[in-house]
Amino acid sequence: MRNNVDFKRSFDLNDVRRSLKSVEVDFMSLNVDRMKTDSSPRPQRTLNQSSATQSTTSGNSLGSKKILDNIFVGIDRDAELIRDKLVDDGKKLDVVSIVGMGGIGKITVATKVFNDGYVKHHFRIRVWVTVSQTYDKRAVLIQILESIRDQLDLEKASDSRLRELVHKHLMGRRYLIVIDDIWHIETWDNLKLFFPHGDNGSRILITSRITEVAKHANLDGMILPLGCLNKEKGWELLCQKVFRGNKYPEWSLKPGMRIVESCHRLPLAVVVIAGVLAKEAWNEKFWMEIAYSASLYIVGDQNGCLEILGLSYNNLPLHLRECFLYLGGFPEDYMFKVRDLIWLWVAEGFIQQTENRSLEDIAEGYLMDLIDRNLVIVAHRSKSNEGVTACKVHDLVKELCLKKAKEERFILQTERLVLFFHRYNVITPPYKPVRVFINKDIYDPHIAHPPPQNLRSILWLIIPERWVMTLQGVSFLLCYLGC
């Protein structure tokens, strides 16, 4: 690639598309020695290795960690109630709801039910779709179809064709559809039209923070409101996440209970703080420091919860912070393909080269460390169950991530590049590299002002294509990462 390219004041996206393939080759052949950070490296385990230790790169496969990814405390009764309702003898299509604040454990209960052996046997088709605050009908239809059948060519299908296919594949079959994180009554009114009403015992399970949405979906249906853990269950969850089946030291009980209370026994807050403690599980002084810090916050609302979760960020080693902050620029409930995320981290220069290890292996270790700290959730594994292929971030953790990223001027989000560059020149220090995320479709982007020298990258999240532009001075790299 040329080192000196005049950056034009506007460009045609079609021209960019036509030069896609050659630039992708350039990306893969970049000199990785230029992509180093100032943080100190640590031995890291990869996505196929055990979490038993961080001091070595050897260990059992990640399959042995499965039990740790699926720790369920205090939800057995809730899950049993939901399961029994889903598989009862009723023939008409029924809607069951799980309601509660963010981080209370709605997804945990729904996941336990969804993967229950009897539920798997009872329903011929099981589908999980995530809606979130911004409802995208087409994306939901594609999620459903991809769950039912692999290798469908859906990119060029119209919305009406997608809806027709959903109806066709569900008709006459007993199905379970989990609709996760639905926020609005209008969203449900649109979604319910997708699902046939055959008298075969099909069910829809929704999770929501809004009770009115659940009532609107089925006024007479079962609505399960989730509450916080009691003290004993909160302590049990903390111990299981920190000590992983080993007996806890007696001295940990007092600061541990204090931490659980400071988290208001909110499962997500307990789990994330456990990820911090797990790194110093046998260090009494460290536990006392975390207990004191946690006690300064009140987790009675979302802001209080973010402050508690912020303790996990404050205890991140420097080499993980950039990788974590980068996740904040992506949309809510975004599903990260591990391969693509690792390539992005490498391209952004977050990964430091060490002897005898590739940048990709080191990046895998970074991601595994974030998973161990309960900041990133395993979403999919390989068929052999030995490797992580996709991951995501909980809504509240994502809010924390974006909040910190904006505070540190690490990333900026915008919908129009022209407005962005005008604002960017005012608020961002000229010495600090910045990344721009555009979460809207832009088919005719125009850059009215030349970008500043410290603009590191622009990332368009355009479905089904993702465009990455990395700039250094006035030279740039454009990379296509397939879906």
Side-chain angles (χ1 to χ4, degrees), residues 230-248:
N230 60 35
K231 280 185 179 181
E232 291 71 24
K233 292 299 182 183
W235 171 244
E236 181 183 347
L237 177 60
L238 187 73
C239 284
Q240 289 195 30
K241 282 291 186 179
V242 174
F243 299 108
R244 308 190 180 218
N246 296 316
K247 182 174 174 56
Y248 64 85

Side-chain angles (χ1 to χ4, degrees), residues 33 36 41-44 57 351-359 361-362:
D33 289 337
K36 295 183 179 180
R42 296 192 307 175
Q44 298 288 335
T57 57
I351 314 302
Q352 183 170 355
Q353 182 78 63
T354 59
E355 293 183 3
N356 303 321
R357 296 188 66 195
S358 69
L359 290 174
D361 286 344
I362 297 169

Side-chain angles (χ1 to χ4, degrees), residues 26-41:
D26 287 342
F27 169 71
M28 297 307 296
S29 62
L30 277 176
N31 184 353
V32 295
D33 289 337
R34 300 174 61 190
M35 298 182 177
K36 295 183 179 180
T37 64
D38 293 330
S39 58
S40 300

Side-chain angles (χ1 to χ4, degrees), residues 430-442:
Y431 57 83
K432 190 174 184 64
V434 72
R435 287 93 186 158
V436 181
F437 286 76
I438 305 173
N439 294 335
K440 298 289 184 181
D441 290 355
I442 297 179

